[in-house]
Amino acid sequence: MADAFENILGQPYVRDFLRATVSSGRVSHAYLFCGPAGSNKTVAAYAFAQGIMCPKGPKGPRGGMCGACDACSRILRRKHPDVRFFAPEGAAGYLVEQVRSIVADTSLAPIQAQRKVYILDRVDLLGTQAANAFLKTLEEPPADVVLILLARTRESVLPTIVSRCQVVPFRTIPVSEAAGIVVQNSGASAQQARVALQACDGSLTRAVEFLKSNERLQFRARVLEILSLLARADDWDIIGFAADLVVRVKLPLDDVRAEQEAELAENADFLAKSAIRQIEARNKRQITAKTLESLRQLAGIARSWLRDVMVVASGAPDTVVNDDAREAIEAAAAATTPPRAAAAIAAVRRCDAAISYNVSPETCIDAMLFEIRDILYGRGMPDAAPRTYRR
C-alpha cells in the first residue's frame, strides 16, 4: 500500500532510507539532503515530515501517510503550522537576522503537534556569519525539533554545517528516466513530459502538477504565443505583453489566498495570538513561493523555446522539444543566428537570477521580453549593456 514516501519520484534509495528511518524510530536531529535542482529534495523533506509527525505513528496504517488524519493532510498540502519552510531572504543568501529569527523560533512550543520540523532550502547559500548564528541550534536543537537542510552539493555547504548533519545524497535523474516517470504519473505523452520538465527546471513533482493543471497549460500557450510575436513587436506591444503575463503569473495566488483565509478563520478561535502570527508569516512565505514558482516557469518556458530556436538555427530540427510551436520556432530560427539565440538564453538566466533577488515580477518580465527581442532579432546596439533589474 502506498505511503507518503511514494511521492519521492526517481529516488528509490532515498525513499527506502527515509522509510526505514521512520519505521525504526531512529530519527536524528538534523539531516542534509544534497542533490541537483529537480531531484525532489523538497518533496522528500515534506514526506519525511509526514512520517515523523503522523500522530498514528510509524507502525500505524500506511505509516507516515495514514490517509485519515488531519496532520498528514496538512503537511501534504504544506499547511501544517509546525512544519516550517525557509529560503534565503538576502540577495546573496541567508541574512544573519533571518537565521537568528529561525533560531529563536525553534525554542517556541509546537502549535498543534508534539514536534516541529524546519526545512531550510539552499543552505549552500548560508555564509560563515549566518552559519555561526545557527551552529549551536544545529548541534543541539530542542528535543522536539528536527532540522532538514537542502543543498545542491555537499561540497558547497560549510564543513561546520555538514559535520553536524546526517547527509542524504540525491542522484541526478537522467532526462529519459525523468520523462518516463512523469508520463507514468500524469498520463501525458513523452513529448508533453519533456515540455513540462523544461518548464519546471527538471522537477518531477512540479512537472506532473504542471501537466494536470489547465491553468498552467494555458499559461504556457500564452507565453509561447508572445514569444512568437516578438519579431514584429514594438515597445508598446512588449509593455502590453508583460502586463498580460504579470496578471497570469499572479492568477494562482487568488486561490491560495482564499484557502489561507478560510483556514485561518477556521482556527482563529482556539489559537493564541502568537500562533496566529506564525501562521500569517507562513502564509506570506507561501504566497512568495508561489509567485517565484510561476516566474520560474515563465523563464523555463522561454529558455526551452529559445533552446529550440537555437538548435533549429544550428541545423538540428529533430531535437526540438516544443513541437506544438514548431512553425513559430522555425520562423524565429530563420531570422536569427545560434549565437544570438544563446545570448537570449543568457538574458533569461539573468532574469532568473533577478527573481532570486526579489526583483518585482513586472520588472523581470518587462526586461526579459525586451532583451529577448533585441538580442534575438538584432535590435538596438549589439554591444549595449544588458538591462538592469531593479527591486
Side-chain angles (χ1 to χ4, degrees):
M1 187 177 289
D3 60 12
F5 301 107
E6 287 299 318
N7 292 323
I8 310 174
L9 304 176
Q11 302 290 346
Y13 295 110
V14 171
R15 188 166 57 234
D16 292 346
F17 167 75
L18 296 180
R19 192 179 276 143
T21 299
V22 170
S23 63
S24 68
R26 296 176 180 173
V27 177
S28 182
H29 67 282
Y31 293 84
L32 176 60
F33 290 5
C34 296
S39 57
N40 270 353
K41 298 187 299 295
T42 305
V43 170
Y46 276 97
F48 195 26
Q50 281 181 251
I52 292 168
M53 298 182 67
C54 178
K56 297 195 175 183
K59 304 299 183 184
R62 302 175 70 187
M65 179 52 183
C66 63
C69 77
D70 183 62
C72 282
S73 175
R74 286 176 181 267
I75 296 170
L76 183 64
R77 293 182 288 119
R78 304 190 182 184
K79 292 186 175 300
H80 198 293
D82 295 317
V83 179
R84 319 281 175 80
F85 181 89
F86 296 91
E89 293 180 357
Y94 281 91
L95 303 172
V96 176
E97 294 78 8
Q98 180 187 8
V99 173
R100 286 174 178 160
S101 175
I102 295 170
V103 168
D105 192 82
T106 62
S107 65
L108 301 176
I111 295 174
Q112 291 182 350
Q114 298 299 312
R115 307 174 83 169
K116 293 191 293 182
V117 174
Y118 289 77
I119 303 169
L120 276 67
D121 194 19
R122 295 304 305 272
V123 293
D124 42 317
L125 300 180
L126 192 64
T128 304
Q129 193 174 1
N132 287 339
F134 189 49
L135 289 181
K136 189 176 189 320
T137 298
L138 184 60
E139 189 165 17
E140 296 180 0
D144 59 1
V145 166
V146 175
L147 301 163
I148 305 174
L149 315 184
L150 314 181
R152 298 288 171 86
T153 66
R154 174 177 180 154
E155 293 72 24
S156 62
V157 181
L158 291 171
T160 50
I161 298 291
V162 176
S163 65
R164 289 165 170 80
C165 299
Q166 184 165 352
V167 179
V168 182
F170 284 63
R171 70 186 183 117
T172 299
I173 304 170
V175 174
S176 58
E177 182 183 341
I181 292 171
V182 173
V183 168
Q184 184 179 357
N185 286 272
S186 68
S189 68
Q191 191 272 334
Q192 290 171 323
R194 290 193 294 272
V195 164
L197 284 166
Q198 292 210 5
C200 300
D201 284 335
S203 170
L204 299 176
T205 305
R206 287 178 180 170
V208 171
E209 292 172 353
F210 187 90
L211 289 169
K212 291 182 177 180
S213 168
N214 287 330
E215 184 181 80
R216 292 292 88 192
L217 294 173
Q218 291 169 9
F219 176 66
R220 171 182 174 268
R222 180 55 176 158
V223 173
L224 294 180
E225 180 186 14
I226 287 172
L227 291 170
S228 72
L229 296 173
L230 290 181
R232 302 182 301 277
D234 61 24
D235 288 0
W236 282 112
D237 289 333
I238 289 183
I239 290 170
F241 293 156
D244 180 27
L245 290 178
V246 167
V247 172
R248 292 171 185 268
V249 161
K250 294 182 176 180
L251 267 179
L253 303 183
D254 294 336
D255 292 337
V256 174
R257 286 194 183 95
E259 195 174 338
Q260 288 177 347
E261 289 169 3
E263 180 187 12
L264 198 57
E266 180 184 343
N267 296 321
D269 290 341
F270 63 84
L271 290 177
K273 288 183 179 179
S274 59
I276 291 175
R277 284 196 296 271
Q278 290 179 32
I279 291 174
E280 288 173 341
R282 182 207 66 191
N283 288 349
K284 184 178 179 181
R285 290 193 298 270
Q286 186 181 17
I287 290 289
T288 301
K290 278 290 183 184
T291 303
L292 291 175
E293 183 179 338
S294 290
L295 284 169
R296 291 208 160 96
Q297 285 180 357
L298 168 58
I301 294 165
R303 280 198 309 273
S304 178
W305 187 87
L306 288 167
R307 175 259 179 206
D308 286 347
V309 170
M310 183 172 67
V311 299
V312 171
S314 301
D318 292 342
T319 59
V320 166
V321 171
N322 297 283
D323 199 54
D324 55 339
R326 183 176 287 273
E327 184 177 345
I329 288 166
E330 290 176 345
T336 192
T337 64
R340 285 192 178 276
I345 292 172
V348 177
R349 294 195 185 282
R350 286 195 294 275
C351 173
D352 246 345
I355 291 169
S356 301
Y357 295 161
N358 296 323
V359 176
S360 73
E362 292 85 350
T363 301
C364 284
I365 296 171
D366 182 84
M368 184 183 74
L369 293 179
F370 272 111
E371 283 211 82
I372 291 174
R373 183 200 65 178
D374 294 351
I375 294 171
L376 202 61
Y377 303 110
R379 304 268 187 104
M381 297 297 291
D383 297 325
R387 289 176 179 266
T388 301
Y389 292 83
R390 298 182 182 278
R391 295 191 183 189

